[in-house]
Amino acid sequence: MSEHKQPEYVHPATRPYGVRHDGPAERPISFGEPVAASLHGIVANRPGFAHVDILLGNKQSVLGGGRNMIWMDAGVQVDTSIVGGFCRGCRRPCARETCCQNTFSGPGLISFALKLPGDVLPFGLTPGTGWILAPGSFICGTENILIDCQFSGCIACICGDQGPFLTHATVQNGPGMFYAGGYGALTRHEVPAGKTLFVDQPHFFAASQDIRFGLGMPGGCIGCLCGGEGLVFKFQGPCVVYSANRDSSIWKKLRDPPKPTNRATPVD
């Protein structure tokens, strides 16, 4: 009688490169073929509780935002620095990114995730290109990725719900890639030429830095003031925009509920 053998466990990140990303990878990086500035990563448990497992080769590194690492092999080395210079590092907290970032060097396995439950997608970059992201969305990327903040505009700052600054991701010294996460599921919208897409400000997730967008009132003044929709982001095609189907600001409201009003007790 032959002995039954248990199947050998194979970690997802050790599978052949590009087998599964569980989501679309934005060009110009081709995730089907390894490039010098790419990561051997697998996104799992999409879209509700996504995380990315990365297999680092010998002397290969990954740049991670603060507090995004879940677990890692003990052999992985960690170096903390203000990536991109002091000024850039000081600006990052304006977009809810960390001033200091960690560089993890292999060999070994490492896993990253956003603190909130939600989705994770990979994005590619080449010199001269960039992505605008919702604040605090950066998770990890190749070590040539630069994370900064970008002012959302005076009207969006004063009248909007997103906040005055967005996360801005660019690359230096060749192509690169990064992973970003949002609360809830992430949806990719391809807006054709001549069409317009409205995205509620708290649900905006990502768009190319070259896209020009403004604010609009989908229901006019009455809808804006009385309908509860307010001002939204307006994107003119052709373009690609990503949205998140949940508003992360609800956690802030739950964490910091309004304090009860102290009423004076009448004196008899």
Side-chain angles (χ1 to χ4, degrees):
M1 186 174 182
S2 60
E3 182 181 356
H4 177 70
K5 294 184 179 180
Q6 293 292 333
E8 183 181 357
Y9 172 75
V10 179
H11 191 278
T14 63
R15 297 170 185 170
Y17 184 90
V19 168
R20 179 170 60 88
H21 265 289
D22 285 344
E26 188 64 26
R27 294 297 188 252
I29 294 296
S30 173
F31 291 92
E33 300 177 1
V35 294
S38 63
L39 294 173
H40 187 154
I42 295 292
V43 178
N45 298 324
R46 292 191 64 213
F49 298 92
H51 64 274
V52 55
D53 299 326
I54 293 177
L55 175 64
L56 295 174
N58 190 28
K59 297 182 179 181
Q60 186 181 15
S61 299
V62 58
L63 177 67
R67 303 182 300 274
N68 288 338
M69 188 271 292
I70 306 174
W71 56 263
M72 68 178 186
D73 288 342
V76 175
Q77 302 298 313
V78 184
D79 179 55
T80 302
S81 62
I82 303 179
V83 178
F86 180 77
C87 293
R88 191 188 303 270
C90 290
R91 292 194 300 263
R92 276 195 288 266
C94 296
R96 300 207 298 268
E97 305 289 353
T98 55
C99 174
C100 296
Q101 296 176 312
N102 301 314
T103 301
F104 302 88
S105 301
L109 289 170
I110 185 169
S111 185
F112 296 92
L114 204 65
K115 292 305 178 185
L116 294 177
D119 209 351
V120 174
L121 287 178
F123 293 86
L125 282 170
T126 53
T129 65
W131 286 94
I132 302 298
L133 306 161
S137 298
F138 174 73
I139 296 178
C140 64
T142 51
E143 55 185 334
N144 60 344
I145 293 293
L146 293 175
I147 301 298
D148 205 336
C149 70
Q150 177 168 313
F151 185 54
S152 60
C154 294
I155 298 179
C157 176
I158 297 173
C159 305
D161 300 324
Q162 185 68 268
F165 295 99
L166 301 171
T167 296
H168 185 206
T170 55
V171 69
Q172 60 179 348
N173 302 326
M177 64 164 290
F178 66 93
Y179 291 89
Y183 179 43
L186 301 177
T187 303
R188 186 177 191 267
H189 307 271
E190 295 187 11
V191 187
K195 299 294 184 179
T196 301
L197 176 70
F198 287 138
V199 178
D200 192 21
Q201 293 183 60
H203 294 272
F204 167 75
F205 178 67
S208 170
Q209 68 175 9
D210 300 326
I211 293 179
R212 294 183 178 181
F213 62 93
L215 294 178
M217 294 183 292
C221 293
I222 296 179
C224 178
L225 298 175
C226 305
E229 294 301 333
L231 295 174
V232 299
F233 284 137
K234 181 172 66 174
F235 297 91
Q236 300 285 350
C239 64
V240 174
V241 180
Y242 290 83
S243 66
N245 70 351
R246 291 295 182 270
D247 179 4
S248 62
S249 65
I250 188 175
W251 292 99
K252 184 177 180 180
K253 297 176 183 177
L254 294 174
R255 183 189 62 190
D256 303 320
K259 297 180 181 180
T261 304
N262 295 325
R263 296 182 179 179
T265 303
V267 179
D268 295 334

